[in-house]
Amino acid sequence: MDNERVEGSYDASSIQVLEGLEAVRKRPGMYIGTTSSRGLHHLVWEIVDNAIDEALAGYCTHIEVTINEDNSITVKDDGRGIPTDIHPKTGKSTVETVYTVLHAGGKFGGGGYKVSGGLHGVGASVVNALSDWLEVKVYRDGNVYYQRYSNGGHVEEPLKVIDSCDKNRTGTTVTFKPDDQIFTETLVYDYDVLRTRLQELAFLNKGLRLTLYDDRIDKRKDTFCYEGGLTEYVQMLNKNKNPIHENIVDISGFENDISIEVALQYNDTYNSNIYSFVNNIITPEGGTHEDGVKRALTRVINKYAVSQNILKEKDDSLTGEDVQEGITMIISCKHPNPQFEGQTKTKLGNSEVRSIADKIFSEALERFLLEHPDEARVIVEKAMTAGRARVAAKKARELTRRKGDLDITNFYGKLSDCKSKDASVSEIFIVEGDSAGGSAIKGRDSMTQAILPLRGKILNVEKARLDRALSNEEIRTIITAFGTGIGDEFDLSKLRYNKIIIMTDADVDGSHIRVLLLTLFYRFFRPIVEAGHVYAAQPPLFCIKHGKTIKYVLNEEERDQYLATLSPNTKYDVSRMKGLGEMDAEELNETTMDITKRVLRKITVDDAMAADDVFSKLMGEEVEPRRQFIEENATFATNLDF
Ligand code: TSJ
């Protein structure tokens, strides 16, 4: 059996072949993009792609990739094995044709299942051309076939049988050593680069096992196989987030040789994480597959919301942005003939895919929503909240944009501004309640201190929703008073005050207002918080009088500490301070506003973030549970008492 020749003689076509491979060596960038580390890794994907195709055709279950000690790479599959018979067009074995004829790809076998896209799949011959040497073994029909090429794809000998094997054993094993004349930057493979992509391929090809070995000094091994496919991908991406529903939406369908698979799950963030793929290649620019799915998502959720009477006829529809808030979604399209467009040729252009993706996805999503009413409810609620926030943000933006028609009389009716126009010395106190507001106006230094009273009642009675907050007159006044604008137009340099001081009582109502204000700041004025402009006033809890001295202290601890400093027979009187509203102007000035005596606490982004979190919890709930939450968490709320 040894050295049995399975191929005939060579002819002029061999010369053409070598010219082809020589062209690849002359301009490797044309074929693999770059000869940097990226190009080096690209060689692996060219080979692995062929094995994946065999898996997609249903003949291969396990692909193994090994980084050998010399940084050569071995790719092994358990597919049918590349055909070894003589190829009618070339007169050589199919194996040799694959490795020496440009663009032979996987189509040669007549299987016609080749679904590679983008730069991938230009073929094993390119890898061969850019390798110092390459060896292939095919296990088929009880034989082990072998061929070796060297020096950029030169055939050493025709394909030959070198051994026999079990009749049932089939597969292809390829080993190649990238050419140091081509890859002049680096020849060293990065385990993690290969690992990440192989894991991705495992997610994208449900049930396929992919194993990576590192046989260099630090031996490593990872194996990936996901029976859940894309749903497990989504699960991993949401691992460190809080999903708002348990069941992951899992959709797949097939039409005209085009397959569409989608998995999605919502989490409680405000970002969307959508990744789309065509033939296992990521399409960062999207394209018709992504468009079709997104369009269907928007339409189906709107339709469901209307059918459940959650969205009323008179309401505006939910937008794409609304229904994508907090989504983690993977879209995978497999297409026999993808057309790529766009700047980086990573956008699917085939127009027929749009309606196929739309149809497959929308039909299945509609069914999912009907069959999972709990999931459906939280998903629609999330989108509705996003929609309200969008409308509110737009309103607020319009409001701040219309600087010209800022109604001075109305505006100054609420805000008692300071005289100074120098922002670096100006402060604004946002004060809970009209009566405290009144005292603060009397007790302030009107040169540098502005007072904005908030009617706490309004905020407490209203459901604490951001959109409602934004339709609240006082809050709009805050936005106008700050002067920075919000959203796209935000400009920190326009801030009219150096210090923004929240002055609220240390009770549940007070902390509710604080949470709301901090949430507002966090969402719309984060740079103001980041730059350290936001403070909480700390009204004292106790007043200690002895002789002619009056001492205010913030808490019990300070009270006890102070009392301990008095000589033993001093007569003193301790009184608990009333709420802000009950202090007169002088008391308020003395205890909370006078720059030389007061104690302020700077609010950090962490504080504001914590408030935002509490706020999110508050606004997700119905009124009753929400009240309960506030009551049960009264101590927690006081933790936000700064
Ligand atoms: F292309 C390649 F050489 F780079 C390569 C191909 C590398 C590796 C690791 C695997 C493969 C490969 C090719 N694995 N499995 C196949 N299958 C075929 O080439 C094949 C086998 C049978 C038939 C048939 O119609 O009977 C058709 C094909 C395409």
Side-chain angles (χ1 to χ4, degrees), residues 187-241:
L187 289 165
V188 179
Y189 276 101
D190 182 330
Y191 186 86
D192 290 320
V193 168
L194 297 182
R195 193 193 111 95
T196 305
R197 172 66 176 154
L198 288 179
Q199 182 178 33
E200 183 175 274
L201 286 168
F203 283 128
L204 291 165
N205 299 282
K206 184 186 286 207
L208 175 62
R209 175 170 301 278
L210 291 143
T211 306
L212 175 61
Y213 302 91
D214 197 337
D215 276 358
R216 294 173 300 187
I217 295 161
D218 298 315
K219 306 268 186 286
R220 290 177 72 177
K221 176 192 166 184
D222 278 290
T223 187
F224 305 106
C225 180
Y226 302 104
E227 292 303 334
L230 300 187
T231 63
E232 291 194 60
Y233 202 169
V234 166
Q235 212 161 37
M236 184 187 76
L237 293 172
N238 271 346
K239 195 176 64 196
N240 296 320
K241 312 222 164 86

Side-chain angles (χ1 to χ4, degrees), residues 47 50 54 75 77 80-83 98-99 106 108-109 113 124 172 174:
I47 299 296
N50 290 284
E54 186 73 353
V75 181
D77 76 19
R80 289 166 293 179
I82 305 175
V98 170
Y99 280 100
F108 55 87
Y113 57 78
T172 305
V174 180

Side-chain angles (χ1 to χ4, degrees), residues 561-619:
Q561 269 173 10
Y562 186 79
L563 291 177
T565 65
L566 300 178
S567 46
N569 40 16
T570 311
K571 282 211 162 154
Y572 63 85
D573 175 55
V574 178
S575 57
R576 184 176 261 275
M577 298 293 290
K578 301 147 273 184
L580 289 172
E582 290 155 66
M583 291 193 209
D584 62 27
E586 201 185 330
E587 277 178 311
L588 203 57
N589 175 279
E590 187 92 340
T591 59
T592 346
M593 297 175 73
D594 183 337
I595 301 185
T596 62
K597 297 183 184 149
R598 72 186 180 194
V599 187
L600 294 181
R601 194 193 124 142
K602 189 178 271 193
I603 303 295
T604 65
V605 173
D606 282 349
D607 295 328
M609 210 165 12
D612 186 72
D613 195 46
V614 172
F615 185 81
S616 302
K617 283 201 182 71
L618 293 180
M619 68 179 203

Side-chain angles (χ1 to χ4, degrees), residues 237-256:
L237 293 172
N238 271 346
K239 195 176 64 196
N240 296 320
K241 312 222 164 86
N242 302 316
I244 59 171
H245 57 98
E246 200 171 324
N247 276 311
I248 297 174
V249 182
D250 182 18
I251 286 168
S252 62
F254 197 81
E255 194 174 310
N256 284 351

